[in-house]
Amino acid sequence: MLEQEIEQIIRRFSHQRLLVLGDLMLDQFIWGTAVRISPEAPVPVVRIERESVHLGGAGNVAHNVISLGGQAVCLGVIGEDEAGQRLVETLQHIGAQACGLIRDATRPTTVKTRIIAHHQQVVRADRETRQPLHPSLTEQLVTRYAERLPDVTGVIISDYDKGVVTPSLLAQILPLTEQAGKPVLVDPKLRNFRYYSPVTLLKPNLRETEAVTQMEITDDASLRAAGQRIMRLVRCQYLLVTRGEAGMTLFSRDDQLTHIPAMAREVYDVTGAGDTTIAALALALLSGATPAQAALIANHAASVVIGKIGTATVSQHELLTTIHQTG
């Protein structure tokens, strides 16, 4: 693919307005230095030097959509707590539309707290609930989804298995999206796998692919068989299996299979790389890329964020730069 063609696709990201539905959360990072081992237990004592908070989950997807030049409309459920208010304020600060969020006093806003010492994660503590939404909240989400669908060019569903994305929700919104002729891309979790239908593109990782198919993937033949099994299980036009250091593999309904090798880059942190991938995929597809071109662009985008520490995003400039550098 010519670099000029890629650049034209990426420049069209600014024309896309994406509805991002899913589990919104905050990623809190406590940065410090491990000074000694605790006398109370065999764990390091970390001297805290600074803290930072970033959008996580579906919030990080929306942040990546915006940093890549697109527009994002967020839809999800948060708690009536300080973390929820901070999440809303952060979304508004980056330019995301957050008026579609629903507050629920019975569940906390998901917060993942990571303690980092010497650029390595020491421990992670999660405040969350994974209970499915009450049916009344699901109905509210469906109503808001239907109201916002006409004003967007496509949809991303970011399922982190925190209870917002449920079979009931999917059964109502996916047919609506298909009727509206809007592309929908899904970053899935195992619990809801068979309910992601119909969708444009499904993006499981290798571990999820093995789990849902109950197949061990050891070579191209077993990868192909597993991908074909998912294509039979879920009505999706395309399946993109992310495989870490082995890159990505794209499956289509006509049995075509395309391997996209990983970019040669030092890996510092894979946190949020999947969010970057799904955001770039959606923007590229909506901007006229073929699925294979979109996967290649997303692969470049992910290669940028894994070179950063913590939950990160990639800018349009960074994406163009890495594409030009790799040719």
Side-chain angles (χ1 to χ4, degrees):
M1 188 191 338
L2 296 175
E3 286 184 26
Q4 185 178 4
E5 185 179 355
I6 296 181
E7 185 167 343
Q8 289 174 347
I9 291 169
I10 294 172
R11 296 297 186 197
R12 289 195 289 270
F13 284 5
S14 60
H15 301 158
Q16 310 310 328
R17 183 179 175 86
L18 287 164
L19 178 57
V20 181
L21 166 66
D23 297 295
L24 295 150
M25 60 188 75
L26 288 177
D27 284 343
Q28 179 185 31
F29 292 86
I30 299 175
W31 307 84
T33 303
V35 294
R36 57 192 172 91
I37 299 298
S38 171
E40 303 164 356
V43 296
V45 175
V46 178
R47 184 174 59 221
I48 297 173
E49 298 170 349
R50 62 185 176 94
E51 297 183 28
S52 60
V53 177
H54 306 268
L55 292 165
N60 190 41
V61 174
H63 197 178
N64 272 278
V65 168
I66 291 170
S67 67
L68 284 166
Q71 303 170 58
V73 179
C74 294
L75 190 57
V77 177
I78 57 175
E80 288 188 351
D81 48 25
E82 183 180 347
Q85 183 59 34
R86 187 166 188 176
L87 195 152
V88 170
E89 292 172 355
T90 305
L91 284 171
Q92 292 172 338
H93 177 73
I94 66 171
Q97 189 179 108
C99 58
L101 303 189
I102 298 171
R103 292 183 181 270
D104 179 9
T106 68
R107 58 195 301 130
T109 301
T110 299
V111 180
K112 296 181 179 180
T113 301
R114 299 171 176 89
I115 297 179
I116 311 291
H118 304 292
H119 303 297
Q120 291 186 333
Q121 186 176 146
V122 176
V123 68
R124 191 181 95 182
D126 294 356
R127 182 180 66 182
E128 64 180 21
T129 177
R130 295 178 58 196
Q131 291 298 314
L133 290 183
H134 189 276
S136 63
L137 285 176
T138 297
E139 290 305 315
Q140 290 182 52
L141 273 181
V142 172
T143 298
R144 296 191 184 193
Y145 185 94
E147 291 172 350
R148 286 156 178 78
L149 189 59
D151 299 325
V152 300
T153 52
V155 176
I156 296 175
I157 297 176
S158 176
D159 189 355
Y160 269 78
D161 199 17
K162 308 302 180 188
V164 170
V165 180
T166 62
S168 174
L169 178 71
L170 293 167
Q172 296 177 75
I173 65 171
L174 291 181
L176 284 176
T177 315
E178 185 180 43
Q179 291 166 13
K182 303 291 175 74
V184 55
L185 291 82
V186 179
D187 205 342
K189 280 292 181 285
L190 292 175
R191 179 154 49 166
N192 294 322
F193 215 96
R194 64 178 64 250
Y195 303 104
Y196 304 122
S197 184
V199 299
T200 306
L201 185 146
L202 193 64
K203 187 195 73 65
N205 60 33
L206 189 64
R207 181 187 59 79
E208 291 163 341
T209 301
E210 290 182 324
V212 76
T213 60
Q214 297 185 328
M215 297 174 62
E216 183 181 5
I217 297 174
T218 57
D219 53 23
D220 283 354
S222 55
L223 175 63
R224 180 183 289 273
Q228 290 173 338
R229 182 172 294 185
I230 291 178
M231 296 288 280
R232 292 192 297 269
L233 176 68
V234 180
R235 184 153 65 93
C236 59
Q237 295 177 35
Y238 300 97
L239 172 72
L240 183 69
V241 179
T242 57
R243 303 166 57 206
E245 294 179 356
M248 306 174 178
T249 300
L250 177 70
F251 297 81
S252 62
R253 276 288 173 194
D254 58 5
D255 276 340
Q256 287 190 354
L257 187 148
T258 305
H259 292 299
I260 299 97
M263 300 292 106
R265 184 182 289 267
E266 188 171 0
V267 177
Y268 284 93
D269 194 344
V270 297
T271 304
D275 302 332
T276 301
T277 300
I278 197 76
L281 272 171
L283 288 169
L285 279 175
L286 290 165
S287 298
T290 66
Q293 290 172 335
L296 182 60
I297 290 170
N299 198 32
H300 278 285
S303 77
V304 175
V305 296
I306 63 174
K308 302 179 181 182
I309 300 292
T311 307
T313 59
V314 55
S315 69
Q316 191 173 112
H317 174 73
E318 288 174 318
L319 177 57
L320 288 167
T321 298
T322 191
I323 288 172
H324 291 321
Q325 288 175 344
T326 56

